[in-house]
């Protein structure tokens, strides 16, 4: 159970993210980063964030992604841990057709890492109805595969909280999604068997569609 959270709000998606990255060494100590974006409107997310792609601003205490029908993402620059020790938590709301958020572990500026994407795959309902596991940011594939691993949310949900963490010495990524009165869990394995296993030590958040 996480004790500290980064709450990030991304409107145009309108995404409300609470992202927690934790270092859990053997001694049991915890190191976390926390950002509510509760500061004046700005074209910069602040010194702890580097926007890698797309256009992101702080507007009304929200992280706002403004790249229509394209993936943008920002990397946290001060938190660092190996990907298998990272935990990322996000609370979000689906308020735009086709919007999706990405929780990115083990990333670096080259877009590598493990990406868990959650969002609207059936534009007519404007609900979060699918989870994609991808090798790197919006890679469209999973480790040692030519396509992403994906699962449908049943039921689809308008909002929720997602927690991403790793098991099996980093070979498996897991996501638990709580929302719509249900708890749904999904996993994907095969990370360590790939020559492209993540080597980055940062975490990131992504956004797709206004």
């Amino acid at each position: 159970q996480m004790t500290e959270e980064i709450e990030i709000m991304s409107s145009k998606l309108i995404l409300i993210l609470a992202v927690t990255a934790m270092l859990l060494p053997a001694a049991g100590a915890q190191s976390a980063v926390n950002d509510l974006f509760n500061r004046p409107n700005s074209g910069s997310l602040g010194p702890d964030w580097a926007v890698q792609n797309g256009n992101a601003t702080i507007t009304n205490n929200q992280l706002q992604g403004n790249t229509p029908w394209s993936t943008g993402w920002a990397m946290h620059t001060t938190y660092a841990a190996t990907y298998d020790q990272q935990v990322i938590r996000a609370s979000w709301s689906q308020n735009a057709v086709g919007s999706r958020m990405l929780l990115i572990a083990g990333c670096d500026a080259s877009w590598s890492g493990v990406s868990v994407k959650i969002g609207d795959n059936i534009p007519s309902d404007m609900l979060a109805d699918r989870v994609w596991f991808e090798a790197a940011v919006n890679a469209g594939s999973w480790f040692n595969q030519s396509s992403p691993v994906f699962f449908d949310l049943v039921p689809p949900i308008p909002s929720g909280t997602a927690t991403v963490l790793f098991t099996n010495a980093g070979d498996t990524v897991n996501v638990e999604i709580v929302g719509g009165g249900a708890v749904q869990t999904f996993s994907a394995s095969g990370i360590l068997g790939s020559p492209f296993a993540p080597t980055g030590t940062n975490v990131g958040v992504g956004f797709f569609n206004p």
Side-chain angles (χ1 to χ4, degrees):
Q1 188 68 27
M2 268 93 38
T3 58
E4 295 186 60
E5 300 180 13
I6 303 175
E7 288 200 9
I8 305 164
M9 302 184 110
S10 170
S11 79
K12 295 285 184 174
L13 279 180
I14 298 185
L15 206 58
I16 303 174
L17 299 180
V19 179
T20 301
M22 288 193 171
L23 176 61
L24 302 174
Q30 295 184 355
S31 175
V33 292
N34 181 44
D35 192 342
L36 301 177
F37 288 103
N38 52 348
R39 47 189 179 269
N41 293 351
S42 172
S44 169
L45 300 184
D48 291 340
W49 293 94
V51 177
Q52 301 299 317
N53 190 64
N55 179 25
T57 63
I58 295 176
T59 303
N60 299 325
N61 298 332
Q62 299 177 357
L63 166 63
Q64 216 178 67
N66 297 309
T67 306
W69 297 101
S70 179
T71 299
W73 70 288
M75 185 175 69
H76 199 271
T77 58
T78 59
Y79 174 84
T82 57
Y83 79 92
D84 60 313
Q85 296 295 305
Q86 294 174 355
V87 176
I88 309 173
R89 171 173 288 173
S91 297
W92 86 99
S93 179
Q94 294 286 138
N95 288 348
V97 170
S99 64
R100 300 168 187 178
M101 70 164 181
L102 295 78
L103 305 181
I104 309 156
C107 64
D108 57 30
S110 66
W111 289 51
S112 71
V114 178
S115 174
V116 180
K117 183 165 61 179
I118 304 169
D120 185 9
N121 188 58
I122 305 173
S124 60
D125 64 13
M126 207 170 71
L127 298 173
D129 49 51
R130 181 163 288 184
V131 176
W132 296 261
F133 293 104
E134 298 180 335
V137 181
N138 204 43
S141 62
W142 182 241
F143 295 94
N144 289 327
Q145 296 189 26
S146 59
S147 60
V149 173
F150 64 85
F151 300 93
D152 290 330
L153 289 168
V154 181
I157 57 177
S159 61
T161 298
T163 303
V164 171
L165 55 85
F166 293 86
T167 54
N168 297 330
D171 191 56
T172 301
V173 62
N174 311 276
V175 61
E176 179 188 79
I177 300 173
V178 180
V183 177
Q184 303 184 57
T185 58
F186 308 96
S187 300
S189 298
I191 299 171
L192 295 178
S194 169
F196 305 106
T199 58
T201 58
N202 293 97
V203 296
V205 292
F207 38 86
F208 178 86
N209 198 27

